[in-house]
Amino acid sequence: MQVTDAHIHVQPWWELKPEVLEVMTRGREDVAELQAIMKSPQHLLRRLDADGIARAVLVNYPSPDLMGFTHRVNEYVAEYCRAAPDRLIPMGGVHPRFAEDAAGEVRRAAELGVRALKIHPPHMAVEPNAYLHGLEALRAIYEEAQRLALPVMIHTGTSIFPGARSRTGEPIAVDDVAVDFPDLTLILAHGGRPLWMEQAFFLVRRFPRVHMDISSVPPRSLLRFFPRLAEVADKVLYGSDWPAPGVRSMGANLRDFQALGLPADAQTKILETNARRIFPS
Ligand SMILES: [Zn+2]
């Protein structure tokens, strides 16, 4: 099986605010390897091979005021993934509160090779539906992504980084996005964990183009979080969120997921075929 980890963070760590980097690296024993990976795709490819991961989606987004990441993340991730375009899928982003020409920045990211966009409400301090209340740049991002057929991943659930606004991680606000942009492919990152799994599950069942990933849910607890996961297997992407705090190893997460004993066809969809459909090589 060719597993896709649809949610890992390979990011320009040198842009991070010191207090954020501290949370990112606290208690880890692999910081030297991670520092090398952030600068070198060859190091990442070796790590993916060792962990049994064929392909990975590299999640990036600008968050200059909270995290430190600037709009240069799009150049960074597009360039990084050029080392192995069949295995590394670049996800970038445009910040609706900082972009001067949001639609233009989406186009520019796509021209660079970015293949999907991330909106991170808790790290951008925006509601997913803030275009209903005057944030026109956010409407422009969704519209342009829909026109260019770029999938949009929206963080749902809490975040523990300094300054993160977890309230904006409530999935139900994405209901408006799914209604207003019916042809946009949406992915609810983390399925609303740990507070709002039922909202995420509802949206995934309600809208044909709304998916979710299971990243950052400890795989051994996954069926406690989502007892009916197999029912929505067509709409679920496997992901680890590595190397976020608490996520030690892509390989260990994958083994724990495979040990859950989900039906074989559900496993194949979640680990392999859904990601191939949304992120074709
Ligand atoms: Zn993440």
Side-chain angles (χ1 to χ4, degrees), residues 11 96 118 129 154 229 249:
Q11 295 167 307
K118 172 82 175 267
N129 60 357
I154 301 179
L229 189 73
S249 155

Side-chain angles (χ1 to χ4, degrees), residues 71-86:
H71 273 101
R72 287 191 296 275
V73 292
N74 292 323
E75 278 92 349
Y76 164 82
V77 72
E79 160 78 25
Y80 189 101
C81 293
R82 255 172 240 142
D86 54 329

Side-chain angles (χ1 to χ4, degrees), residues 7-9 59 61 118 120 153 155 189-190 215-216 241-242 244:
H7 194 133
I8 69 169
H9 290 286
V59 177
Y61 54 91
K118 172 82 175 267
H120 201 312
M153 176 183 281
H155 175 103
H190 323 304
S215 67
S216 93
D241 208 25
W242 179 87

Side-chain angles (χ1 to χ4, degrees), residues 197-209:
M197 287 78 71
E198 286 167 0
Q199 293 185 15
F201 188 76
F202 164 76
L203 294 171
V204 167
R205 299 213 324 151
R206 155 103 170 83
F207 295 104
R209 289 188 178 273

Side-chain angles (χ1 to χ4, degrees), residues 103-166:
E105 291 199 33
V106 171
R107 282 193 294 279
R108 211 170 70 79
E111 282 159 16
L112 285 168
V114 164
R115 291 169 55 192
L117 300 176
K118 172 82 175 267
I119 296 285
H120 201 312
H123 293 178
M124 291 176 164
V126 294
E127 305 278 347
N129 60 357
Y131 60 88
L132 295 175
H133 313 289
L135 190 60
E136 285 302 319
L138 183 58
R139 183 192 307 280
I141 292 168
Y142 291 137
E143 266 173 5
E144 202 61 10
Q146 179 173 253
R147 195 179 70 78
L148 296 171
L150 294 177
V152 173
M153 176 183 281
I154 301 179
H155 175 103
T156 61
T158 54
S159 169
I160 57 158
F161 285 104
R165 297 188 181 258
S166 289

